Amino acid sequence: MKATPTRIPDVLILEPKVFGDARGFFYESFNGNAFARATGLEVAFVQDNHSRSAQGVLRGLHYQIQNPQGKLVRCVRGAVFDVAVDIRRSSATFGQWVGAELSEENHRQIWVPPGFAHGFVVLTASADFLYKTTDYYAPAFERCIAWNDPAIGIEWPAGITPQLSAKDAVGCSLADAEVFEG
């Protein structure tokens, strides 16, 4: 497994070793020892999630203000543009974002640490998106920042008309959001 820091060094792009031939492919999508060696992080995942979304569906920018979740995310069918936004007020990269395409072809994963808002938009006819979390879903503490907040300035892929849930359609601005103070 290869870990590459993004321009926000705490967010990592992970690329597993893929073994393939004419019959198909094999790779370890997660191995605790390999993850620790590649990232220098010791994390314990407690929940796995799987979502399927149609083209143009945009989910996010989500986070939990209490019980914050670190997320290891990947796309196993189709392709998405995945985004992490630093919402740790004391961080030198507060309010900045990074994004990358995750697809069934590139097998990339992204480590989104606790203290970040996360979202993605589906680029293909549909996509299956998987993520492991370091804490359990706690709906009472879930928050949403607007996907198009100009203060953040995410450069979503051109030509996508986002389809939003009712919750995501009323996400607040970063300026009005509860953020992580520590």
Side-chain angles (χ1 to χ4, degrees):
M1 177 176 290
K2 176 184 168 189
T4 305
T6 64
R7 60 186 162 86
I8 300 176
D10 294 336
V11 178
L12 304 171
I13 295 176
L14 301 166
E15 298 175 83
K17 287 187 178 181
V18 179
F19 304 92
D21 58 27
R23 301 168 299 150
F25 67 84
F26 171 85
Y27 70 94
E28 286 185 342
S29 60
F30 180 76
N31 175 303
N33 290 332
F35 182 85
R37 278 193 307 274
T39 66
L41 301 170
E42 295 282 338
V43 298
F45 293 108
V46 299
Q47 184 173 321
D48 281 359
N49 302 312
H50 183 153
S51 72
R52 175 172 292 158
S53 304
Q55 187 167 26
V57 167
L58 192 150
R59 299 186 184 273
L61 301 164
H62 300 153
Y63 63 101
Q64 290 182 177
I65 195 65
Q66 292 183 35
N67 305 92
Q69 296 175 309
K71 297 176 181 178
L72 182 60
V73 302
R74 64 190 175 116
C75 182
V76 296
R77 187 171 66 91
V80 302
F81 183 71
D82 193 76
V83 173
V85 179
D86 189 347
I87 57 171
R88 303 168 298 171
R89 192 174 307 281
S90 61
S91 170
T93 56
F94 176 75
Q96 295 180 30
W97 67 277
V98 292
E101 185 172 318
L102 305 179
S103 72
E104 65 183 296
E105 283 85 25
N106 69 24
H107 306 288
R108 287 185 187 141
Q109 301 178 48
I110 295 181
W111 165 247
V112 180
F116 283 72
H118 173 258
F120 65 90
V121 66
V122 178
L123 304 174
T124 50
S126 67
D128 281 11
F129 190 80
L130 305 179
Y131 51 108
K132 302 174 113 25
T133 65
T134 60
D135 209 336
Y136 297 101
Y137 176 60
F141 303 124
E142 186 176 34
R143 302 292 185 268
C144 181
I145 295 173
W147 66 278
N148 60 350
D149 182 348
I152 300 170
I154 297 170
E155 296 172 14
W156 296 99
I160 300 287
T161 302
Q163 298 176 42
L164 304 170
S165 69
K167 172 181 69 177
D168 293 350
V170 296
C172 68
S173 68
L174 179 60
D176 293 332
E178 291 180 80
V179 297
F180 297 94
E181 299 298 332

